[in-house]
Amino acid sequence: MASSEQIAREYYEKGMELVHINSLELGIDNLNMALSIYEEIHDSTQYILTMRGLAIAYGIMGYDSKMLIKCLSTLDYIDKNGIKGAKHFFYTTICNRYMLLGDYDSAINYGRMALQDLEDYGTEFENPPHAYLVACLNLAYSYLHIHRYSDAELFLKRASEIAHKNDLHHHDLSLSVLFASLHHHMGDDKYVYSHLDELVTFIKSSKITVEDYLEDLKLLIETFCGMQEFERAEAVVLSLDSTATISNDIHMKLEASKLYMMVYKNSGNIEKYHDACVRFAEDTIAVANAEATQHLLEMDTAIALSIADTPSELL
């Protein structure tokens, strides 16, 4: 018979796998199952990691209040239990959300708090090199967007050193795109052209979320548009669109529509921009209809299960 730890681990790993492929509601269900077991067996390390997974999932869904509740309650749990070196998980989660909302000053504040926690107490918790890599990438990305290029370069180089030293490759696209964007903004488009091979092999790693992958592609498209390389920018979107079509992923199709709009607006191609706007509207309706259908199915299933559990004399 499987132990409680094994069962919880299976729920946790399945939950995180689902979050990484953007199957968020199922991911949350699995993580909540894991969390209840970890609470019962008093596994503080896995409890913290599972709460982090839930915070990430709610952040991706745009449920900021739920994300913050998970972060703040776990930070309180960490303090009450005298645990060192784990706060960075939640500072990083908040940092990521601020980045997506375009508040880069707040993102930098939380990004620095995350890195400071790792530098002060990182060895006192189960912190893989990946945690340091992500903290540096977040700071590089945020500094880049407020045009503090020397700071962006500093943290980008630190991230690259961590990746190479520890043979970490799941953020290769992030590193390549950030270096390209940085050099473009510093007036060195020659660097970008000499590294095109790294930029066109944009395959999503299973260890990063769809949201992070899309942010990498968006920055790459912005860089190509800034270089007036609109055909290259369009090619990036076409590849994403093809992947979405093959996998029948309507959410990714919607994201592709947004990126098409960006490319055609920047290029001045009014006709294609209008077509992309129409497609965006159609894809938005398709996503809303699919979500409504899914919710109806979940309601019908819940009602059917409730009826099955109800004694016949009460029906």
Side-chain angles (χ1 to χ4, degrees):
M1 180 180 293
S3 67
S4 296
E5 290 89 345
Q6 289 173 315
I7 295 170
R9 169 61 67 175
E10 288 176 6
Y11 277 124
Y12 172 76
E13 290 180 348
K14 184 62 177 178
M16 292 306 298
E17 178 186 331
L18 288 165
V19 169
H20 283 140
I21 63 172
N22 234 35
S23 184
L24 299 169
E25 293 183 355
L26 285 175
I28 288 170
D29 289 344
N30 278 267
L31 290 172
N32 276 325
M33 291 295 293
L35 188 70
S36 64
I37 298 173
Y38 287 134
E39 283 184 290
E40 185 176 334
I41 64 177
H42 306 292
D43 188 330
S44 60
T45 296
Q46 285 302 130
Y47 174 85
I48 289 168
L49 294 177
T50 306
M51 286 289 277
R52 168 186 172 250
L54 287 166
I56 290 171
Y58 285 127
I60 293 172
M61 296 174 79
Y63 296 163
D64 293 334
S65 59
K66 289 186 176 183
M67 179 207 72
L68 285 171
I69 288 170
K70 294 298 181 186
C71 289
L72 296 176
S73 64
T74 313
L75 288 169
D76 183 58
Y77 173 90
I78 288 169
D79 282 334
K80 286 181 177 178
N81 288 274
I83 298 167
K84 300 290 186 182
K87 288 185 175 181
H88 68 91
F89 289 119
F90 303 93
Y91 294 149
T92 293
T93 301
I94 297 171
C95 169
N96 286 338
R97 191 62 189 149
Y98 274 124
M99 286 165 57
L100 286 169
L101 293 172
D103 185 347
Y104 297 109
D105 289 324
S106 296
I108 287 167
N109 287 337
Y110 280 96
R112 282 196 168 277
M113 289 166 67
L115 189 57
Q116 192 66 54
D117 184 59
L118 283 165
E119 290 175 343
D120 290 345
Y121 308 111
T123 58
E124 299 185 37
F125 196 79
E126 296 179 18
N127 288 310
H130 174 257
Y132 297 81
L133 171 61
V134 169
C136 290
L137 283 173
N138 285 346
L139 286 168
Y141 184 94
S142 298
Y143 279 123
L144 177 66
H145 279 77
I146 60 171
H147 313 297
R148 288 175 57 174
Y149 301 131
S150 59
D151 289 318
E153 185 174 24
L154 171 68
F155 287 104
L156 191 49
K157 286 181 176 178
R158 286 185 63 179
S160 182
E161 289 168 2
I162 293 168
H164 289 137
K165 180 180 178 181
N166 295 280
D167 198 27
L168 299 174
H169 295 289
H170 42 282
H171 281 291
D172 282 354
L173 177 60
S174 298
L175 286 165
S176 296
V177 171
L178 280 166
F179 270 119
S181 183
L182 176 65
H183 279 272
H184 165 64
H185 283 291
M186 295 173 70
D188 183 15
D189 286 348
K190 184 178 179 181
Y191 172 93
V192 183
Y193 287 116
S194 65
H195 289 77
L196 284 176
D197 287 347
E198 299 171 19
L199 298 172
V200 297
T201 55
F202 33 85
I203 300 173
K204 179 189 174 299
S205 166
S206 61
K207 295 185 178 180
I208 67 170
T209 64
V210 171
E211 186 176 59
D212 287 342
Y213 175 64
L214 290 171
E215 284 302 303
D216 286 339
L217 296 188
K218 181 181 176 183
L219 183 57
L220 177 58
I221 290 165
E222 288 174 351
T223 302
F224 281 145
C225 286
M227 296 168 61
Q228 306 296 301
E229 288 283 358
F230 299 115
E231 289 186 4
R232 294 188 191 277
E234 184 181 33
V236 175
V237 190
L238 282 168
S239 177
L240 176 67
D241 199 12
S242 297
T243 300
T245 300
I246 292 168
S247 60
N248 195 29
D249 188 331
I250 58 173
H251 292 87
M252 194 175 288
K253 294 285 286 184
L254 178 60
E255 294 302 321
S257 294
K258 294 178 187 177
L259 295 175
Y260 277 129
M261 289 166 62
M262 179 197 301
V263 172
Y264 299 138
K265 184 176 182 180
N266 279 280
S267 69
N269 191 323
I270 303 301
E271 183 178 350
K272 283 191 173 183
Y273 176 67
H274 285 165
D275 289 343
C277 289
V278 171
R279 174 181 152 164
F280 172 72
E282 292 172 346
D283 287 346
T284 300
I285 293 170
V287 168
N289 288 341
E291 290 177 348
T293 300
Q294 180 62 32
H295 289 151
L296 285 171
L297 178 61
E298 290 171 358
M299 287 177 62
D300 289 345
T301 302
I303 291 170
L305 290 172
S306 176
I307 292 173
D309 291 336
T310 302
S312 59
E313 61 269 18
L314 296 179
L315 293 175

